[in-house]
Amino acid sequence: LNFVKGGKGVIGIHAATDNFYNWPEAAEMMGGVFDGHPWNAGGTWAFKIDDPKHAIMPAFEGKGFKISDEIYRIKPMKLRENARVLMSLDISDPATSQVEGLRPGEADYPVSWVRTFGKGRVFYCSLGHNHPLLWNRMILQHYLDGIQFALGDLAADTTPLPWKPDTSRLESLLSSCTAYEYGQDRIPLTELYDYIKASYGSPDALKQIEKSLVKFLQSNATLAAKQFVCKQLSIIGTEQSVPVLAGMVKNPDTADMARYALERISFPAADKALLQALNQTDGNVKIGIINTLGQRRAESAVAPLGQLISDGNTPADIALAAVIALGKIGGEPAAAILAKAIPAAAENQRMALYDAYLRCGDDLVAAKKNARALEIYKQMFAEDYPPAIRIAAFKGMVFADAKNAENIILNALRTEQPDIQTVANELVREVPGLNIKTMAAALPDLPEAGQVQLLASLADRGDGAAKESVVKATNSDLESVRLAALTTLAKVGDAGSVSVLSEAAAVRKGAEQQTARDSLYTLSGPDIDKEILAQIPKTDVKIAVELIKSIEKRGIKSASDLLQKTATHSDPEIQMESWKTLKTAAGPDDMAKLTELLIQIKDARLRSEAVKTASAVALKIPNENQRAAAVLAAYPSVKDSSVKASLLELLGRIQADSGLPVLREALKSDQADLQIAAIRALGEWPNAKPLA
């Protein structure tokens, strides 16, 4: 890329575009990538000269030609925008346009082009699959000229040329759509759509297409066909479509399809045409025009719509449509009209008026006219308005008065109106920039339900600024608040919260204890695991037990050494929990040490738990023959028969064949407990080796 950009050239022949699929910059340099070849090597295809007088095209003498070759369809990458296309397939030729695999509506198939890339030059031609082309003087001359251009030896214009659509093809497609009716095969419509879509990159082509579509609307085509054409004009239409669409919008049969197009044509002429039609229509057609003016946010329609609202003779449905449209248009003039209409509004128009008036407030906020918007929201927050309107007004107040947002929300949290409280809590979650520390500090001032709701909102917000107030709430006189605070601490807490949660898990009962445990297990942030391990040796027994339990739940990987120490703690509960947790915390390298610790245990219940742990750890050893090694090494030196029996049980759980000789020998012991342990171990063996 740098080579070409720096002033050199690149020459692409045939499969040079069947390339660069994972290098988009290089693909764009070439103009695109291979997208199939419906025109295969055995056929003869027609070509047209896009630029007959170009310096690289004299070999063709300005005349199209036919030749046999494999022709690429290119997936263009800004090709027509960046390159000067010199030659392309001639789709007017029946054989060329009727090949299998041709996509409906496609009409532009460039074959040869040049472009400037940085300071360098690109030449590409897709001809070159069939060997006889290399003896074709015309093709060789074209390649020679293109190569000389790329080398910098031949000056040539690289200015992109706009693509001109095949007018006859367009007229043919439109003609095939003329009789279309709803429910019929849509292939003609699809082909027309694809043809138009292929022209999106060419303003000149779209202008010609639009002219043909407008003419089609004036024909005797079916309403279904005209509706489809109106949809296309909604995408490509300009002010040249407006006069015909303006005439159609007055006709009940075509009004909806014309409005669909006009609604999306951004030119001011569309507003003017709709306003003219407003005074020349009635009923549903008039309502439709009003709706379209609202969707277009046509400021020029504000005064005429206001007149419809204030005129006592306006039918109710038309006046209602005008109200809704003014809300969509927004702005101060529309707000003033709606404000004046509210006091005298009919019952069936009030909600629409309120909603439209609030929409104007939202529009004013977007325009940074917050003071006026705040007046609207405060007015609509009065208690004599419906709940839904008050809720929307309350939200508006918060966003319009960002500096005072905390106070507005806090006052709403303190209210005894549940619907407003609920929305206030939603805003605690959503509104950016809130002082969460201030919000959380208000917890004790709220009623019970309000505290629970706010704690849930603070949890969802996950802002650590709330931590101090949430910790205080864990000691509330109200159980529901304590539970909510313990839950929230998992989301807003940090390493300093470990002691709060572990203590609650140790001393609370029932749901509070379980909630504290769950929060301890899910508490996130840096240094949480490190803090848990640091506290275990220096806290009291019950708290230490809870912290040890959390090791497994949290999946702390670095706890094995500490647990091996606490496994010999003076407190039996800590010993027991340590051995249970070592099942997951210890690894294969710890097996020898665990066996050593197991041998030292005096309490039978604890030793039984240690056997379960040691067997679980042994099974983590990848090599099956090594799993029993630590136990077999320790067994001969053990004197206590109860300990020896535990080791035999451990061998039975490990089930490594290397343990079979020791178990067979134990069957001959004169100590019944060792015989029983060996029998049980062999009885659990996974194969028939102990059967004899």
Side-chain angles (χ1 to χ4, degrees):
L1 291 179
N2 289 337
F3 174 83
V4 181
K5 284 180 180 178
K8 304 299 191 297
V10 62
I11 300 143
I13 299 177
H14 194 55
T17 51
D18 190 5
N19 204 346
F20 305 131
Y21 295 103
N22 298 312
W23 189 7
E25 296 87 354
E28 185 176 330
M29 176 185 72
M30 293 306 302
V33 293
F34 170 78
D35 192 25
H37 46 72
W39 308 275
N40 57 52
T44 298
W45 318 114
F47 299 84
K48 63 180 180 179
I49 308 304
D50 290 58
D51 194 0
K53 297 181 180 180
H54 195 270
I56 295 178
M57 303 303 288
F60 303 104
E61 299 179 350
K63 301 174 184 177
F65 62 95
K66 291 186 178 182
I67 206 165
S68 179
D69 197 27
E70 178 186 83
I71 309 302
Y72 281 3
R73 174 170 53 206
I74 304 296
K75 185 181 293 181
M77 298 178 72
K78 300 181 181 179
L79 175 57
R80 287 278 181 182
E81 297 174 39
N82 296 329
R84 190 180 189 95
V85 175
L86 307 174
M87 177 167 58
S88 55
L89 281 171
D90 185 356
I91 300 300
S92 66
D93 175 67
T96 306
S97 63
Q98 294 173 17
V99 295
E100 185 177 351
L102 193 66
R103 294 165 184 163
E106 285 188 338
D108 185 24
Y109 300 101
V111 172
S112 181
W113 57 81
V114 291
R115 69 163 296 186
T116 299
F117 186 71
K119 296 179 181 179
R121 298 159 302 281
V122 178
F123 165 66
Y124 174 81
C125 181
S126 69
L127 296 173
H129 181 85
N130 289 352
H131 294 176
L133 262 71
L134 302 181
W135 300 308
N136 185 305
R137 179 176 294 276
M138 180 176 64
I139 300 302
L140 289 177
Q141 181 64 52
H142 177 58
Y143 264 114
L144 177 59
D145 292 338
I147 290 168
Q148 287 187 301
F149 158 75
L151 292 173
D153 294 337
L154 176 64
D157 191 356
T158 58
T159 307
L161 290 173
W163 175 61
K164 296 180 180 179
D166 184 343
T167 306
S168 61
R169 169 85 170 142
L170 175 60
E171 296 306 320
S172 173
L173 290 170
L174 284 169
S175 177
S176 67
C177 296
T178 302
Y180 172 76
E181 294 288 0
Y182 299 115
Q184 291 181 350
D185 195 323
R186 290 177 60 86
I187 286 179
L189 305 184
T190 302
E191 291 181 345
L192 176 60
Y193 168 76
D194 288 340
Y195 179 91
I196 296 170
K197 184 180 177 183
S199 307
Y200 281 176
S202 173
D204 290 341
L206 290 177
K207 190 174 182 179
Q208 294 180 42
I209 291 171
E210 183 182 9
K211 184 177 180 180
S212 295
L213 295 183
V214 169
K215 184 179 177 182
F216 183 86
L217 292 177
Q218 297 169 286
S219 72
N220 61 353
T222 63
L223 289 175
K226 289 181 178 180
Q227 183 187 47
F228 180 80
V229 166
C230 282
K231 286 186 176 181
Q232 307 318 306
L233 288 174
S234 75
I235 301 170
I236 70 167
T238 66
E239 53 194 356
Q240 77 165 313
S241 299
V242 171
V244 170
L245 292 170
M248 293 172 63
V249 86
K250 301 170 191 175
N251 182 343
D253 292 335
T254 57
D256 287 346
M257 64 179 76
R259 285 192 304 102
Y260 184 89
L262 286 169
E263 186 175 301
R264 293 157 179 81
I265 294 175
S266 60
F267 294 83
D271 288 342
K272 186 176 180 180
L274 288 164
L275 284 170
Q276 288 175 348
L278 185 64
N279 296 322
Q280 300 169 12
T281 54
D282 54 21
N284 287 337
V285 173
K286 193 182 195 80
I287 290 172
I289 292 171
I290 292 170
N291 291 341
T292 297
L293 288 166
Q295 287 297 118
R296 289 179 59 81
R297 302 194 68 188
E299 294 181 2
S300 57
V302 170
L305 293 175
Q307 290 174 3
L308 289 175
I309 294 172
S310 61
D311 187 344
N313 296 320
T314 301
D317 53 353
I318 291 176
L320 183 61
V323 166
I324 295 169
L326 282 175
K328 292 177 179 178
I329 295 170
E332 178 56 35
I337 292 171
L338 294 168
K340 188 175 180 180
I342 285 175
E347 180 68 29
N348 62 353
Q349 287 188 356
R350 285 179 186 168
M351 283 300 291
L353 267 168
Y354 301 155
D355 181 68
Y357 194 38
L358 285 170
R359 281 175 175 264
C360 287
D362 297 344
D363 186 62
L364 289 165
V365 170
K368 301 192 182 305
K369 297 179 180 179
N370 291 36
R372 176 66 183 106
L374 196 56
E375 291 176 10
I376 293 174
Y377 296 137
K378 286 182 177 178
Q379 177 185 340
M380 304 307 288
F381 189 58
E383 293 188 3
D384 48 346
Y385 286 100
I389 297 300
R390 295 190 69 236
I391 287 170
F394 169 66
K395 286 185 175 181
M397 287 164 56
V398 170
F399 288 102
D401 192 7
K403 291 182 179 178
N404 200 35
E406 284 100 1
N407 289 332
I408 296 172
I409 294 174
L410 284 172
N411 289 335
L413 290 171
R414 295 185 182 108
T415 185
E416 295 183 0
Q417 301 173 57
D419 51 352
I420 299 296
Q421 281 182 337
T422 299
V423 176
N425 274 288
E426 290 175 3
L427 294 175
V428 170
R429 296 178 173 91
E430 298 170 6
V431 176
L434 286 179
N435 187 325
I436 295 301
K437 187 172 184 178
T438 301
M439 303 297 300
L443 278 166
D445 303 332
L446 303 181
E448 181 176 359
Q451 290 188 61
V452 172
Q453 276 191 316
L454 179 55
L455 284 164
S457 299
L458 293 171
D460 289 344
R461 182 93 182 200
D463 192 327
K467 186 190 76 167
E468 184 179 344
S469 296
V470 173
V471 169
K472 290 180 180 178
T474 62
N475 294 311
S476 169
D477 294 335
L478 302 167
E479 182 183 10
S480 62
V481 174
R482 295 195 301 270
L483 281 168
L486 289 167
T487 299
T488 301
L489 198 53
K491 303 293 185 181
V492 303
D494 55 18
S497 306
V498 168
S499 58
V500 177
L501 292 170
S502 58
E503 182 178 352
V507 302
R508 307 275 176 100
K509 304 296 182 185
E512 286 185 59
Q513 183 182 53
Q514 189 56 52
T515 301
R517 285 173 174 167
D518 292 341
S519 291
L520 179 61
Y521 301 158
T522 58
L523 184 66
S524 62
D527 300 327
I528 304 292
D529 292 349
K530 184 177 179 181
E531 180 65 17
I532 287 172
L533 298 181
Q535 285 196 23
I536 289 173
K538 57 187 181 184
T539 190
D540 66 41
V541 170
K542 288 187 176 298
I543 295 175
V545 168
E546 294 297 335
L547 291 170
I548 292 170
K549 286 180 179 178
S550 76
I551 291 173
E552 178 184 0
K553 297 292 185 180
R554 295 181 63 86
I556 301 176
K557 303 297 184 184
S558 57
S560 181
D561 289 347
L562 174 64
L563 291 171
Q564 289 173 35
K565 293 177 182 177
T566 55
T568 61
H569 193 278
S570 58
D571 184 85
E573 194 174 357
I574 290 180
Q575 291 178 6
M576 180 64 74
E577 206 57 51
S578 297
W579 276 105
K580 287 179 179 179
T581 306
L582 277 165
K583 285 188 184 74
T584 55
D589 293 342
D590 297 312
M591 190 59 197
K593 180 63 175 177
L594 294 181
T595 305
E596 179 186 334
L597 292 174
L598 185 155
I599 292 170
Q600 298 170 11
I601 298 173
K602 303 299 182 185
D603 180 76
R605 179 171 166 270
L606 180 60
R607 191 164 60 244
S608 176
E609 188 63 41
V611 167
K612 296 175 186 176
T613 295
S615 64
V617 174
L619 293 175
K620 296 179 185 180
I621 297 173
N623 188 335
E624 293 184 15
N625 295 325
Q626 297 298 318
R627 289 175 180 172
V631 181
L632 295 173
Y635 183 82
S637 62
V638 175
K639 304 300 181 185
D640 188 318
S641 65
S642 62
V643 176
K644 290 176 80 76
S646 295
L647 293 179
L648 294 174
E649 179 188 350
L650 179 53
L651 289 174
R653 287 175 174 271
I654 295 173
Q655 298 179 344
D657 287 350
S658 58
L660 284 174
V662 173
L663 291 171
R664 288 194 182 103
E665 189 63 29
L667 290 175
K668 304 172 185 177
S669 172
D670 56 2
Q671 294 177 287
D673 55 346
L674 296 184
Q675 289 181 339
I676 291 171
I679 292 168
R680 286 175 174 163
L682 292 168
E684 296 294 330
W685 216 255
N687 55 46
K689 290 183 179 179
L691 183 60

